[in-house]
Amino acid sequence: MMFRRGFILFLPRLVGLLVVACCLVSIFYMLACTPKGDNQQLVLPRVNSPTAKEGYEAILQEREEQHRNYIISLKKQIAQLKAELQGRNEQLKYVQDQHPDPLNVQLDHSNAEKVQGNLLAFLRSQIDKAEVHSGVKLSTEYAAVPFESFTLQKVYQLETGLTRHPEEKPVRKDKRDELVEVIELAVGSLNNPERDSTAKHHVYTASDFIEGIYRTEKDKGTLYELTFKGDTKHQFKKIVLFRPFGPVMKVKNEDVDMADTLINVIVPLAKRANKFRQFMQNFREMGIQQDGRIHLTVVYFGKEQMNEVREILENTSKSANFKNFTFIQLNEEFSRGKGLDIGARFWKGNNVVLFFCDVDIYFTAEFLNSCRLNTQPGKKVFYPVLFSQYNPSIIYGHQDSIPSLEQQLIIKKETGFWRDFGFGMTCQYRSDFINIGGFDLDIKGWGGEDVHLYRKYLHSNLIVIRTPVRGLFHLWHEKQCLDELTPEQYKMCMQSKAMNEGSHGQLGMLVFKQEIETHLQRQKLSNKKT
């Protein structure tokens, strides 16, 4: 009874103590959760204070944005790592089955952790082999692998060829996606709050990226070094990334029999009988005598010089016992695209490889095999980059005589250039040409029709093989710039003519010819005096 009375008297005090404790806990909680300013703790806001409410909302929104960006970055990285890990596991399993493991470790695929460990060890070994942490001794200055630099919008490259520019936007999707992915990974790494998750820090975006450099060592991987803005004007953030390459995998091992694969060489022509005579000499030696699995289709426009061209063709047929040719004559204005299109559709035999050619082209028997090996019906078409010859009179002007044509066909920077802006010479199966829709027959004259067809193939599911070839040459011929051209067109025509005449150094020697001759004369006078 006494205990019960005492408990009743103590109960109000206990309730009071609990209320006080709850109030203290609430105060401590509010103090702990109040966001900090740049240099000091913010005071508790007054109730219904607009300024405090806006401040809280801004801070919460900033924190939310930070974590949202971080979560998005993590999800991307996790997805990429999962895909890469699965691919590497399959790759390493295949390598183990086919060859000894490159790490000299037999992978137990029943143990996932061991497989992943071996995979990571291999990838780290690729980093150690590459020039990432330290340099590598090189025997000559030409052995150095140069970097290329890039920004958000542009790539600055050394190897430009004739179609690319020293500074340009990355056009190829794989290159564009590669650089975008690298910048996103770098931004995600900078926004990783692991260093101090409670402290406020700058949220990096792609706009903070200043520039990057990258280079690829073909047997090891690609190294990227990216620079971002720092906290102050003279501070920067630098991220180094490396994309390691895995071991070489065998994809296919097959026998290819080209013994019965016929090539139909289609040549559109108007006049130019002398050039056709030179072409037929090449065709007879390489196509008829050395290769033998070839057909020639000549699509001739107009009647001028037609009899002469037909006579050249018939003489070759008789002397070489060659009957596999077709001569088609059209009484209309020359159109390269229409000539090739008619020649391709005129064929009535089995599916055949079509080689679209011009009369000023020289090819070897090895090229004809490349034409066969790089085409496959419904699968592949071949767009070789040919070597374009400079003006022989400029190349060999310092010699007593110009060498024979066969001796001129040497692939050097002094003798010509890769014509990587041209798409007229191409090999494809007739079925693919018909299915893709052929040429645009509205294009008249020279130019345009080849690029249009090339784009059709690029937009299809066919594989386009584009590569320089050593057995296909564009023979030099004088380029005429007509008076009817506008001043701008005439200027462009003359620039193109100059590019086909000689190399930079050779044209420079012509520009300074008078200065060089003056120097030589002074040297002779000086020698006579001594």
Side-chain angles (χ1 to χ4, degrees):
M1 194 72 179
M2 290 287 294
F3 174 77
R4 187 175 180 182
R5 188 183 297 115
F7 177 75
I8 292 172
L9 293 173
F10 180 72
L11 186 60
R13 296 179 183 178
L14 181 62
V15 172
L17 289 171
L18 290 173
V19 171
V20 171
C22 290
C23 290
L24 289 172
V25 169
S26 299
I27 291 171
F28 284 131
Y29 176 78
M30 292 178 69
L31 289 172
C33 294
T34 301
K36 295 182 180 180
D38 291 337
N39 299 314
Q40 61 183 4
Q41 180 92 6
L42 294 176
V43 297
L44 290 173
R46 294 180 181 179
V47 179
N48 299 325
S49 170
T51 304
K53 184 177 181 182
E54 292 173 359
Y56 276 130
E57 288 179 350
I59 293 170
L60 289 172
Q61 187 175 0
E62 183 180 355
R63 285 291 179 86
E64 186 179 357
E65 186 68 22
Q66 289 180 12
H67 289 289
R68 186 185 296 113
N69 290 337
Y70 180 56
I71 290 169
I72 292 172
S73 176
L74 283 178
K75 285 182 177 179
K76 284 185 177 179
Q77 293 180 56
I78 290 169
Q80 290 169 354
L81 287 172
K82 283 182 177 179
E84 289 179 10
L85 187 60
Q86 182 179 357
R88 297 292 185 181
N89 282 337
E90 294 174 357
Q91 193 176 37
L92 287 175
K93 183 178 185 301
Y94 181 87
V95 170
Q96 182 195 355
D97 294 339
Q98 301 294 326
H99 305 286
D101 184 66
L103 297 173
N104 295 321
V105 176
Q106 292 298 317
L107 301 180
D108 180 9
H109 295 282
S110 62
N111 188 336
E113 292 183 1
K114 188 175 180 181
V115 172
Q116 293 178 15
N118 288 330
L119 173 62
L120 291 174
F122 174 79
L123 297 179
R124 290 193 186 100
S125 72
Q126 291 290 76
I127 298 176
D128 294 336
K129 293 175 187 175
E131 284 190 83
V132 178
H133 302 301
S134 61
V136 175
K137 292 181 180 180
L138 302 174
S139 57
T140 171
E141 65 271 22
Y142 301 109
V145 181
F147 282 87
E148 293 184 346
S149 59
F150 65 99
T151 63
L152 279 177
Q153 301 296 332
K154 298 288 181 68
V155 174
Y156 303 85
Q157 52 204 0
L158 288 176
E159 298 179 4
T160 58
L162 292 173
T163 56
R164 294 181 294 167
H165 302 282
E167 174 198 81
E168 68 178 13
K169 292 183 178 180
V171 177
R172 280 174 35 193
K173 185 177 183 300
D174 61 329
K175 176 59 65 180
R176 191 167 61 246
D177 291 348
E178 173 196 5
L179 298 180
V180 168
E181 178 191 13
V182 166
I183 294 172
E184 286 181 352
L185 286 172
V187 169
S189 177
L190 289 171
N191 288 327
N192 190 339
E194 291 179 358
R195 293 169 296 176
D196 187 356
S197 58
T198 59
K200 179 184 176 182
H201 64 279
H202 176 68
V203 178
Y204 288 89
T205 64
S207 61
D208 295 310
F209 174 63
I210 300 174
E211 67 173 357
I213 60 175
Y214 70 98
R215 70 174 177 185
T216 299
E217 295 181 72
K218 299 298 178 69
D219 59 336
K220 301 176 184 72
T222 303
L223 173 66
Y224 309 88
E225 296 187 9
L226 296 90
T227 304
F228 290 79
K229 298 174 185 176
D231 296 329
T232 65
K233 180 180 178 181
H234 300 293
Q235 289 185 337
F236 302 92
K237 297 286 187 182
K238 194 164 188 178
I239 298 292
V240 178
L241 302 172
F242 189 76
R243 188 194 301 271
F245 295 161
V248 177
M249 292 179 62
K250 183 176 72 177
V251 177
K252 187 186 293 184
N253 184 352
E254 61 179 349
D255 295 324
V256 181
D257 185 3
M258 293 292 174
D260 299 324
T261 304
L262 186 71
I263 295 179
N264 185 1
V265 182
I266 303 178
V267 181
L269 186 62
K271 305 177 186 178
R272 307 185 74 187
N274 289 333
K275 279 289 182 181
F276 184 69
R277 181 177 287 105
Q278 180 179 273
F279 173 83
M280 287 306 297
Q281 290 174 356
N282 171 226
F283 183 87
R284 174 175 177 167
E285 180 183 354
M286 299 296 172
I288 301 174
Q289 296 176 355
Q290 293 192 30
D291 187 85
R293 298 155 292 164
I294 200 163
H295 185 98
L296 177 63
T297 300
V298 177
V299 183
Y300 196 86
F301 290 81
K303 293 185 178 179
E304 188 176 352
Q305 299 185 17
M306 182 190 72
N307 292 333
E308 188 175 353
V309 167
R310 190 191 289 272
E311 183 181 355
I312 294 168
L313 189 58
E314 290 175 351
N315 288 340
T316 303
S317 172
K318 292 176 183 177
S319 60
N321 192 25
F322 178 71
K323 305 298 182 184
N324 292 338
F325 70 92
T326 303
F327 186 87
I328 304 170
Q329 195 265 332
L330 303 174
N331 292 320
E332 54 186 271
E333 181 185 356
F334 178 83
S335 169
R336 182 178 187 273
K338 185 171 185 179
L340 293 171
D341 199 273
I342 289 175
R345 297 178 188 276
F346 192 84
W347 179 261
K348 302 304 179 184
N350 296 329
N351 200 10
V352 66
V353 176
L354 303 176
F355 171 33
F356 294 153
C357 189
D358 287 335
V359 73
D360 49 13
I361 294 298
Y362 183 97
F363 59 83
T364 65
E366 288 77 13
F367 167 74
L368 295 176
N369 275 330
S370 297
C371 186
R372 294 181 178 95
L373 290 169
N374 287 291
T375 53
Q376 188 176 341
K379 186 76 177 290
K380 290 190 297 186
V381 296
F382 186 38
Y383 270 83
V385 180
L386 53 80
F387 193 75
S388 192
Q389 182 190 37
Y390 288 140
N391 187 345
S393 63
I394 293 179
I395 300 171
Y396 306 103
H398 62 285
Q399 299 182 11
D400 296 334
S401 62
I402 297 177
S404 66
L405 177 60
E406 288 72 16
Q407 292 174 322
Q408 295 176 31
L409 301 178
I410 302 171
I411 299 176
K412 291 183 178 180
K413 66 178 182 179
E414 296 85 7
T415 60
F417 60 95
W418 291 116
R419 204 177 185 89
D420 58 352
F421 55 83
F423 305 95
M425 309 311 122
T426 173
C427 300
Q428 64 267 286
Y429 271 85
R430 182 180 180 275
S431 57
D432 293 327
F433 176 78
I434 299 298
N435 292 336
I436 207 72
F439 281 104
D440 183 354
L441 300 183
D442 294 330
I443 299 174
K444 305 297 182 183
W446 287 89
E449 79 291 331
D450 50 357
V451 179
H452 189 267
L453 179 65
Y454 182 62
R455 288 173 179 165
K456 281 185 177 182
Y457 283 126
L458 292 178
H459 296 160
S460 73
N461 292 324
L462 296 171
I463 299 172
V464 177
I465 307 295
R466 179 76 167 158
T467 180
V469 291
R470 66 182 186 274
L472 191 63
F473 296 87
H474 177 266
L475 302 180
W476 180 86
H477 57 86
E478 187 175 0
K479 186 178 180 66
Q480 300 291 337
C481 295
L482 303 177
D483 292 335
E484 300 86 67
L485 298 175
T486 65
E488 185 63 27
Q489 288 175 327
Y490 190 82
K491 179 183 176 182
M492 292 175 63
C493 181
M494 291 301 293
Q495 289 174 341
S496 175
K497 182 175 181 178
M499 185 174 63
N500 285 273
E501 287 293 309
S503 67
H504 192 169
Q506 290 161 345
L507 295 178
M509 293 295 285
L510 292 177
V511 171
F512 299 111
K513 182 178 180 181
Q514 185 63 44
E515 188 175 331
I516 294 169
E517 289 178 352
T518 303
H519 170 75
L520 293 175
Q521 290 174 0
R522 287 173 182 169
Q523 288 288 321
K524 287 181 180 179
L525 291 174
S526 177
N527 291 334
K528 286 180 180 180
K529 290 179 181 180
T530 56

